[in-house]
Amino acid sequence: MSIPPKPWPTGLAEQCEPLVRRVLAPNPSPYTYTGTQTYLVGAGDELAVIDPGPAGTGAAGHADTNGMGHVDAIIAAAGDARITTILCTHTHRDHSPAAAELKARTGARIIGCAALTIEDSGPRADAAFDPDYAPDRVLGDGERVSGPDWTIEAVATPGHTSNHLCYSLVESGALFTGDHVMAWSTSVVSPPDGDMSAYMASLQKLHDREDTVFYPAHGPAVDKPRQLVRGMLGHRRQREGQILRLLGEGPITIADMVPRMYKGLDPSLTGAAGRSVLAHLLDLGNQGRVRCDPGPGGETWSLAA
């Protein structure tokens, strides 16, 4: 992960392709990069909105130079078209909370991922779950929703969260990847809900598809999706190898693993790195390859006998 660059222009509709526009929310951070990207799908009189973003971005000075809040900016981007469908990739606080206000102002239905609210001891304040998310319809893997000139198909991709969905735009071959695949950073996989085994399986699922471009919720579009996913799978396997080599030297705590695995890591990201290591360890434990033992200095991990 990296510190976000100078913020991109927020609140302004950018054309990504004929059926897709993007509006950036004003919530940049080391975990959201330049902020959450909301996508408007459709070129006709009925639109879908993907990942409406966080709540509480309605004050002047928090969005574009016109002082609009993010929901205002989404509605302005729609112009004379009607927003009929709101889809969320998952229910972290930087993705779904604005769905409620957008629904109230447009009458659109909230369709997509299931509701999920759990306590998460992870390090990201922005990644807390949205307790108020209430979908009108939940999509299963392969289910579709459509408008006059667009068809969106749900692609189940658990791992970052158990309720994570990507969305395929059937007409163009684009895939909206939420937090599952991002060009600027690997996704945080934070137990208990984040699951490394599920995440790896979901990456492989995307690698086996033939999508033409990825539009993530954070960071730039990905025009070589299979190449990126192949690299991400390799990166995770390298991390797994690092862990096994460290355990081969003897029992060790996660706190001692992180600085040896992540050289030059920004201290603010130490917690996230530790959660990722834990996710790998739990996956390896499920495979019977490592074990966890209590100790005076905290839990230590070692190779299984």
Side-chain angles (χ1 to χ4, degrees):
M1 292 183 178
S2 59
I3 302 299
K6 184 178 180 179
W8 295 357
T10 58
L12 304 176
E14 301 174 275
Q15 196 78 39
C16 301
E17 59 177 76
L19 290 176
V20 179
R21 283 167 286 170
R22 171 178 56 204
V23 180
L24 178 66
N27 61 325
S29 79
Y31 293 101
T32 62
Y33 200 48
T34 57
T36 301
Q37 294 176 141
T38 297
Y39 294 95
L40 287 80
V41 179
D45 57 2
E46 293 184 10
L47 307 179
V49 168
I50 297 176
D51 278 343
T57 56
H62 285 272
D64 67 6
T65 54
N66 295 320
M68 287 192 298
H70 187 55
V71 172
D72 294 320
I74 295 170
I75 292 173
D80 294 332
R82 188 164 61 95
I83 296 171
T84 61
T85 304
I86 302 167
L87 300 116
C88 299
T89 58
H90 62 298
T91 51
H92 276 159
R93 263 192 336 213
D94 55 323
H95 289 258
S96 62
E101 181 183 349
L102 190 60
K103 175 182 177 178
R105 293 178 61 178
T106 65
R109 294 187 304 160
I110 299 174
I111 298 174
C113 70
L116 174 65
T117 303
I118 63 170
E119 292 296 324
D120 190 336
S121 57
R124 296 177 51 181
D126 66 295
F129 287 93
D130 172 11
D132 299 318
Y133 172 76
D136 298 296
R137 175 186 168 195
V138 173
L139 293 179
D141 188 42
E143 289 192 290
R144 293 182 172 188
V145 60
S146 61
D149 59 351
W150 51 267
T151 308
I152 292 174
E153 181 175 301
V155 181
T157 48
H160 174 64
T161 61
S162 60
N163 67 343
H164 195 286
L165 295 177
C166 294
Y167 296 108
S168 169
L169 178 56
V170 174
E171 285 76 9
S172 75
L175 187 74
F176 302 91
T177 57
D179 279 2
H180 185 64
V181 174
M182 301 176 288
W184 73 282
S185 171
T186 55
S187 181
V188 173
V189 180
S190 179
D193 187 62
D195 184 290
M196 187 61 70
S197 178
Y199 179 73
M200 293 291 282
S202 294
L203 281 180
Q204 187 63 53
K205 179 178 184 177
L206 294 197
H207 182 268
D208 294 342
R209 291 172 55 87
E210 296 184 356
D211 304 296
T212 58
V213 62
F214 285 173
Y215 293 124
H218 310 284
V222 178
D223 58 8
K224 295 181 179 178
R226 295 190 75 190
Q227 179 177 315
L228 177 65
V229 173
R230 186 162 55 248
M232 293 175 71
L233 286 163
H235 170 74
R236 292 293 186 177
R237 292 183 184 119
Q238 287 178 343
R239 289 294 188 204
E240 183 179 278
Q242 281 183 295
I243 289 170
L244 292 172
R245 286 193 294 275
L246 286 173
L247 297 184
E249 298 173 8
I252 187 171
T253 65
I254 291 175
D256 289 333
M257 284 189 228
V258 168
R260 296 181 63 181
M261 292 175 61
Y262 297 83
K263 303 297 184 183
L265 181 68
D266 183 333
S268 69
L269 302 177
T270 298
R275 302 301 294 179
S276 180
V277 172
L278 174 60
H280 275 294
L281 287 166
L282 292 174
D283 183 29
L284 290 167
N286 290 336
Q287 299 173 36
R289 301 173 70 183
V290 306
R291 72 170 189 267
C292 179
D293 298 301
E299 292 180 339
T300 61
W301 293 82
S302 57
L303 295 176

